[in-house]
Amino acid sequence: MSTHRMTIAGADVAVVGGSIAGCAAALAAHRAGAGRITVHERTAGLLADRGVGLVVHDARYAELAAAGYLDTAMPWAQLTTRRWYVRDGAAPLGRQIAVQPFPFRSYCWGPLWRELRQRLPQDTVFRPGTPVDGVDSDADGAVLRFGDDGSGAAASGASRAGGSDGRVAAGGRSERFDLVIGADGHRSVVREAAFPGVRPDYAGYLAWRGTVPADRMAALDCPGLPSEPWAEEDCVYGVFPGGHVIIYRIPDGHGGLRANWVLYTAPPEGLDLGPHAPAGLPPGALTDALHDHLRYVTGELLPPYWGGLMRLTTRQELFLQPMYDFTAPRYTAGRLLLAGDAATVARPHTGGGAVKALQDAAALEAALRALTERPDALAEYGAERGRTGRSMVELGRRLGRAFVQDTPDWRTLDQAGLEAAWAAADGSGAFGGRELKEAAPGGPGR
């Protein structure tokens, strides 16, 4: 397979996956000059309703804003300080063991996705509820294959950024494109076509996720609590043997803020998810054993206020994410390209998952623009982003070992001890994402 005869100008491009990575990849293809872009998203529901949080390092934001993939119109909150707490008897906040700078912006997944989605050109075809069953490729293009469910959803749900579109996969079974970008997550169909058998490894522990609206937080009663328990710019790390929770505020999509939390710890004893762990459990699907374990951690291992805040998330709102990591051998295979989690999955400890997906898009735009002059530009994209991906996977593994799988005795750590433990895990200083090496300068209006 080869891209040597390909130019992006006027090309018919498919993006598999319509989340943040997929919308960013579609935007990259549009800015590079693609003629027609079709986005296939397996989920039929409203992605804009997703309320979990993510963070972007201030330095990475500046790079991505310069490249035109983030800007101040996207709702965000400024974080400045990370505070580490360990349980200390009945003290509501616990004992603070360290304070560190935390120069990050926080976002809510749904509003950020909506902003990226709205910036796609009006003639972008967006097909929700359209799972891709398989991909076949050759030297001149690639074919997406759809099952019965995919073809029906495509017929009823295809839409442009600003209206409806009647074009569906030929016969409801397959459709050919000049280029296919896989942004379809860690169980990517496009990656399986490019590199059969390359799959993520289960790390052996889980992330519980939830959010808490501001009115619920205000009603939280905890004896001895200060009048202002935590500042809006604080990111809290609550630590305990075998894990930690991260809590910070995010935009709620309506002009206010809510609390976002992510808890990392192993599943309860006797519940071994093994190598075939599910992709995740959606809201409302938490088992009794998992929910009981969460209540134990929040009630017995974390300081009372932080554990109580987490319990304000109802069982129906909780969802769970097994930890995986891997990176594909390359990001390119002829007319198939990979971006986001389809290419590399790094554990969320890195604070750079969304950053890496947006950086992939910026670098991909630059590579597609350069194809006419440099036929190897896409190979260079794959090599450069692959190096970044591998470094983030290794960082996630180190942070996982240090702060989940082999935790220190938190009670013995002070400021110097915590900083030494953090430096040992993040020796490269890559927390928050690597520097973007290559991007096409410009802005959203291009």
Side-chain angles (χ1 to χ4, degrees), residues 74-442:
M74 299 174 176
W76 60 283
Q78 182 67 61
L79 304 174
T80 64
T81 307
R82 173 165 48 189
R83 300 184 184 275
W84 298 74
Y85 292 93
V86 65
R87 188 180 178 99
D88 186 14
L93 301 180
R95 177 168 57 88
Q96 182 174 282
I97 59 176
V99 181
Q100 295 176 307
F102 196 78
F104 282 79
R105 292 170 171 241
S106 72
Y107 294 85
C108 183
W109 197 101
L112 179 59
W113 173 86
R114 186 187 301 112
E115 287 289 334
L116 287 168
R117 172 80 172 83
Q118 290 174 346
R119 293 170 195 214
L120 296 177
Q122 289 294 304
D123 59 355
T124 301
V125 180
F126 196 98
R127 294 177 177 165
T130 311
V132 175
D133 285 356
V135 184
D136 301 306
S137 63
D138 54 36
D140 299 315
V143 173
L144 300 186
R145 291 183 278 107
F146 308 92
D148 291 340
D149 290 343
S151 62
S156 61
S159 68
R160 296 178 185 268
S164 63
D165 174 70
R167 183 172 182 262
V168 298
R173 295 185 298 276
S174 67
E175 190 169 356
R176 187 174 184 84
F177 296 89
D178 297 317
L179 185 72
V180 170
I181 303 172
D184 47 339
H186 76 277
R187 297 192 174 187
S188 169
V189 174
V190 181
R191 186 188 64 247
E192 178 64 21
F195 306 108
V198 175
R199 296 183 177 88
D201 295 322
Y202 173 52
Y205 61 97
L206 313 171
W208 280 261
R209 292 180 177 269
T211 63
V212 182
D215 57 348
R216 289 190 213 167
M217 282 192 290
L220 179 58
D221 183 22
C222 192
L225 188 68
S227 58
E228 294 185 8
W230 60 310
E232 288 186 2
E233 64 269 18
D234 282 356
C235 176
V236 170
Y237 274 52
V239 295
F240 57 91
H244 64 279
V245 65
I246 304 172
I247 307 173
Y248 56 88
R249 288 183 175 87
I250 62 172
D252 63 5
H254 306 288
L257 298 173
R258 66 174 60 194
N260 178 81
W261 59 265
V262 188
L263 173 75
Y264 299 101
T265 191
E269 187 175 353
L271 183 61
D272 181 13
L273 296 180
H276 303 296
L281 294 179
L286 216 63
T287 66
D288 288 343
L290 288 168
H291 189 253
D292 290 346
H293 187 62
L294 176 62
R295 293 193 66 83
Y296 166 71
V297 172
T298 58
E300 302 296 328
L301 301 183
L302 286 167
Y305 177 77
W306 307 118
L309 184 150
M310 295 163 63
R311 289 193 297 275
L312 294 176
T313 303
T314 69
R315 181 168 178 172
Q316 290 69 38
E317 295 168 331
L318 290 166
F319 73 94
L320 183 144
Q321 175 186 0
M323 292 293 94
Y324 295 95
D325 49 33
F326 88 106
T327 189
R330 298 185 305 280
Y331 279 33
T332 59
R335 296 298 181 94
L336 305 181
L337 308 180
L338 301 177
D341 284 354
T344 296
V345 174
R347 302 180 203 179
H349 310 300
T350 63
V355 164
K356 196 195 77 64
L358 295 171
Q359 285 181 337
D360 286 351
L364 179 58
E365 178 186 346
L368 290 172
R369 285 175 174 271
L371 270 179
T372 303
E373 294 78 21
R374 293 190 291 117
D376 62 343
L378 288 175
E380 291 183 13
Y381 157 79
E384 190 276 316
R385 298 309 300 159
R387 285 191 295 271
T388 296
R390 287 189 292 274
S391 71
M392 297 306 292
V393 167
E394 287 306 313
L395 173 61
R397 288 172 177 167
R398 291 196 303 273
L399 291 171
R401 284 192 297 268
F403 299 116
V404 180
Q405 296 165 301
D406 189 18
T407 52
D409 184 349
W410 299 109
R411 298 167 300 174
T412 67
L413 294 188
D414 56 10
Q415 181 78 29
L418 190 281
E419 289 184 352
W422 183 264
D426 182 26
S428 63
F431 179 70
R434 291 283 189 184
E435 180 182 359
L436 178 59
K437 298 296 184 183
E438 183 178 12

